[in-house]
């Protein structure tokens, strides 16, 4: 049998080294022994933006980007979207198995009974300007949660970790809905324990004068499916932020706020908002060819297209595209859908996009659904952050239990000046 090693020759010294290969990877610490002499620090791996570096072993989410495959804990995303609820999926991500009926009941009870936030959080919310971005308000209020639970950074005992997990998953929709209502100048709506996770979220967003809010079942289910699709995506930018920040030992509220900040950017979870703004700017199918020309000239980006890992159709985008039809059957059809379909049609035939393997990602169609539900674009990244909280927490918990992990601290390759002596102010030119 071939040996699971890599043999390399350092042509600077003529020395040969044998490096073990484990699970298709080499440990970059094994490069350190490749040195020109005792003064040499040893070889480093150089990988800006972690394009080919695994930062962890993980048993949570599997992606095969070439084949467009996504599994959570081994279950295909298509089956989960079809047959499971978001809370079942959140449990699966966190505990590794789908819940039994009894476990689901207990889990749902815990999440439902941690949805309230301290009344003082409303004061933070009230302090934001009327047109503050909802994602910024949510990031800040999640960070503020750490002030209410100062013990969260001390204990890593499993019951305590579970408690923070319930709180974060439960309070995220409450804070998100408060941020939304604050922008509208409307009173906050308190959680309704009789409703499902997404039904209650719709209640807190949209309830007006009715005594009991009744979510539209099709929209409640559509939101649940969207939440399932956004729940985890292995080591993306925000998950990397969650793990990196939490590796310092900080509490999970502060780490989640950091992950949310990473998500907010237009290249990540802010892309859904950017897609809708782009579709509005393009405006009509007639203007699609001119826009595609601009993209190819490097003057614009086709937002909602491309992915670091998927070099094939994002399986989440395929599900969302189908879901859009179901949503538009109960809302009004989106006037921008035809623009999106035309952009996709042209892009999938165009050599520029084909050669770069650029396909629609999760953000391309989701905004059209959110818009049809009556949500403003500023809520779109928020609608990504709420369900991703389960994924961030699953990754955080996996990191806490992983004996190989310690504080994240990359190396650098210094390219600045060599040592020099400073000149007094008057002598500098
Ligand atoms: N429109 C036009 N050209 C693109 C696009 C795009 N959306 N995405 C990539 N390219 C080009 C890029 O210019 C480059 O071309 P060249 O080789 O000529 O320089 C080539 O494709 C490779 O792109 P890259 O920037 O090296 O790819 P990356 O892996 O660093 O970036 C990405 C991935 C998602 C940041 C990028 O595709 C992008 O900016 N897409 C638009 C934003 C977006 O939709 N983000 C949501 C990602 S999915 C949800 C999530 O997880 O957040």
């Amino acid at each position: 049998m071939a040996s699971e090693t890599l043999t390399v020759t350092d042509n600077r010294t003529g020395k040969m080294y044998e490096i073990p290969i484990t699970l298709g990877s080499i440990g970059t610490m094994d490069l350190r022994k490749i040195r020109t002499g005792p003064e040499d620090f040893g070889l480093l791996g150089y990988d800006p933006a972690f394009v080919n570096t695994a930062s962890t072993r993980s048993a949570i989410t599997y992606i095969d980007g070439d084949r467009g495959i996504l599994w959570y804990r081994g279950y295909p995303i298509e089956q989960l979207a079809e047959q499971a609820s978001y809370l079942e999926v959140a449990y699966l991500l966190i505990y590794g198995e789908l819940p039994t009926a009894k476990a689901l009941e207990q889990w749902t009870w815990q999440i439902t009974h941690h949805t309230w936030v301290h009344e003082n959080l409303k004061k933070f919310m009230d302090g934001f300007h009327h047109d503050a971005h909802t994602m910024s308000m949510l990031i800040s209020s999640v960070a503020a949660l750490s002030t209410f639970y100062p013990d969260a950074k001390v204990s890593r005992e499993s019951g305590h970790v579970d408690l923070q997990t319930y709180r974060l998953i439960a309070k995220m929709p409450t804070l998100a809905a408060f941020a939304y209502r604050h922008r509208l100048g409307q009173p906050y709506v308190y959680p309704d324990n009789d409703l499902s996770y997404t039904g209650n979220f719709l209640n807190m967003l949209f309830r007006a004068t009715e005594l009991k809010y009744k979510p539209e079942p099709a929209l409640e289910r559509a939101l649940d499916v969207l939440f399932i699709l956004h729940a985890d995506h292995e080591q993306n930018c925000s998950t990397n932020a969650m793990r990196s920040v939490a590796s310092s030992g900080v509490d999970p509220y502060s780490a989640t706020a950091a992950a949310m900040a990473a998500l907010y950017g237009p290249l990540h979870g802010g892309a859904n908002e950017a897609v809708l703004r782009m579709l509005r700017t393009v405006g009509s199918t007639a203007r699609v060819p001119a826009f595609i020309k601009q993209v190819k000239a490097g003057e614009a980006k086709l937002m909602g297209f491309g992915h670091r890992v998927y070099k094939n159709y994002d399986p989440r985008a395929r599900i969302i595209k189908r879901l859009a039809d179901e949503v538009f059957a109960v809302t009004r059809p989106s006037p921008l859908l035809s623009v999106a379909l035309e952009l996709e049609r042209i892009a999938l035939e165009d050599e520029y996009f084909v050669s770069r393997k650029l396909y629609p990602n999760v953000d391309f169609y989701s905004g059209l659904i959110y818009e049809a539900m009556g949500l403003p674009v500023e809520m779109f990244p928020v609608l990504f952050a709420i369900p991703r909280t389960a994924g961030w927490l699953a990754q955080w918990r996996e990191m806490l239990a992983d004996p190989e992990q310690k504080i994240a601290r990359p190396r650098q390759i210094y390219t600045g000046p060599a040592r020099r002596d400073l000149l007094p102010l008057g002598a500098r030119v």
Side-chain angles (χ1 to χ4, degrees):
M1 210 179 88
S3 132
E4 288 288 301
T5 60
L6 182 74
T7 303
V8 288
T9 307
D10 184 346
N11 293 322
R12 299 170 303 175
T13 59
K15 281 195 197 156
M16 275 173 73
Y17 299 84
E18 193 162 341
I19 296 173
I21 298 177
T22 314
L23 297 172
S25 64
I26 59 160
T28 44
M29 272 308 282
D30 285 327
L31 300 177
R32 192 72 77 73
K33 62 187 175 206
I34 304 178
R35 301 193 297 170
T36 51
E39 296 297 306
D40 187 355
F41 182 74
L43 273 191
L44 287 175
Y46 176 58
D47 184 10
F50 302 120
V51 177
N52 196 40
T53 297
S55 60
T56 187
R57 294 166 201 259
S58 179
I60 302 172
T61 291
Y62 173 75
I63 303 175
D64 180 334
D66 290 328
R67 291 195 292 155
I69 286 174
L70 170 62
W71 302 338
Y72 294 160
R73 303 280 191 187
Y75 294 103
I77 192 68
E78 293 79 6
Q79 287 184 26
L80 293 168
E82 185 79 30
Q83 297 171 47
S85 69
Y86 171 70
L87 281 189
E88 277 177 276
V89 169
Y91 183 100
L92 169 71
L93 289 169
I94 287 174
Y95 298 110
E97 295 296 338
L98 282 166
T100 59
K102 188 160 188 295
L104 182 60
E105 192 187 318
Q106 287 168 349
W107 169 245
T108 306
W109 191 93
Q110 289 291 359
I111 301 299
T112 308
H113 288 81
H114 281 97
T115 49
W116 283 43
V117 294
H118 194 287
E119 284 291 288
N120 281 358
L121 264 156
K122 294 199 305 196
K123 295 185 193 158
F124 286 114
M125 211 54 90
D126 288 342
F128 291 115
H129 208 261
H130 68 91
D131 58 358
H133 198 288
T134 38
M135 188 67 170
S136 303
M137 290 193 264
L138 187 59
I139 293 169
S140 312
S141 45
V142 169
L145 280 180
S146 73
T147 66
F148 294 90
Y149 307 113
D151 55 335
K153 67 169 166 286
V154 183
S155 174
R156 291 287 173 264
E157 179 265 315
S158 71
H160 200 76
V161 166
D162 276 345
L163 182 58
Q164 317 315 323
T165 304
Y166 306 144
R167 282 178 177 153
L168 267 157
I169 293 177
K171 293 181 201 311
M172 199 63 79
T174 312
L175 293 172
F178 280 14
Y180 169 76
R181 304 277 296 203
H182 175 70
R183 253 181 89 94
L184 295 177
Q186 291 181 357
Y188 306 122
V189 176
Y190 285 88
D192 180 341
N193 287 2
D194 296 337
L195 298 175
S196 71
Y197 189 75
T198 41
N200 173 50
F201 181 47
L202 290 168
N203 159 64
M204 293 188 291
L205 289 173
F206 297 131
R207 190 173 142 212
T209 54
E210 62 271 43
L211 284 180
K212 189 87 180 162
Y213 180 83
K214 287 204 188 76
E216 160 64 52
L219 297 188
E220 186 181 359
R221 178 61 194 154
L223 199 54
D224 213 59
V225 173
L226 283 162
F227 279 12
I228 291 170
L229 300 179
H230 286 88
D232 195 53
H233 215 232
E234 52 118 307
Q235 307 310 313
N236 52 79
C237 178
S238 57
T239 302
N240 184 55
M242 179 80 187
R243 281 178 171 263
S244 184
V245 171
S247 75
S248 72
V250 77
D251 68 88
Y253 305 98
S254 303
T256 302
M260 292 170 71
L263 185 76
Y264 188 11
L267 300 186
H268 191 9
N272 48 17
E273 177 177 352
V275 168
L276 213 89
R277 292 189 193 280
M278 173 191 77
L279 294 176
R280 284 178 183 162
T281 308
V282 176
S284 72
T285 49
R287 291 170 62 179
V288 166
F291 180 69
I292 292 280
K293 211 169 152 193
Q294 266 181 287
V295 172
K296 287 163 65 176
E299 293 159 15
K301 223 172 199 185
L302 181 48
M303 299 309 287
F305 258 68
H307 199 275
R308 171 65 56 80
V309 183
Y310 292 120
K311 300 301 166 198
N312 199 326
Y313 216 100
D314 181 336
R316 302 168 299 173
R318 213 185 288 283
I319 299 169
I320 293 179
K321 202 173 164 185
R322 275 200 308 269
L323 194 65
D325 292 331
E326 290 166 30
V327 171
F328 298 152
V330 291
T331 62
R332 57 184 173 76
S334 167
L336 294 175
L337 177 62
S338 55
V339 180
L341 289 170
E342 183 65 359
L343 274 170
E344 181 187 336
R345 190 189 67 77
I346 297 195
L348 293 186
E349 284 174 357
D350 192 294
E351 203 278 325
Y352 175 95
F353 298 91
V354 174
S355 63
R356 289 170 177 76
K357 298 188 175 166
L358 300 173
Y359 291 87
N361 59 48
V362 70
D363 293 311
F364 194 64
Y365 286 105
S366 59
L368 291 174
I369 301 185
Y370 299 143
E371 192 200 30
M373 286 179 169
L375 289 159
V377 288
E378 295 77 20
M379 279 300 280
F380 295 3
V382 166
L383 289 152
F384 197 148
I386 295 170
R388 183 55 61 87
T389 303
W392 290 327
L393 290 167
Q395 302 272 350
W396 168 64
R397 295 168 64 114
E398 186 175 63
M399 189 195 72
L400 292 183
D402 184 347
E404 285 189 340
Q405 292 294 334
K406 41 187 176 176
I407 188 165
R409 205 300 187 185
R411 292 281 176 174
Q412 66 162 16
I413 295 168
Y414 178 69
T415 58
R419 185 197 178 282
R420 50 187 174 162
D421 293 320
L422 72 85
L423 294 173
L425 192 56
R428 293 176 213 158
V429 282

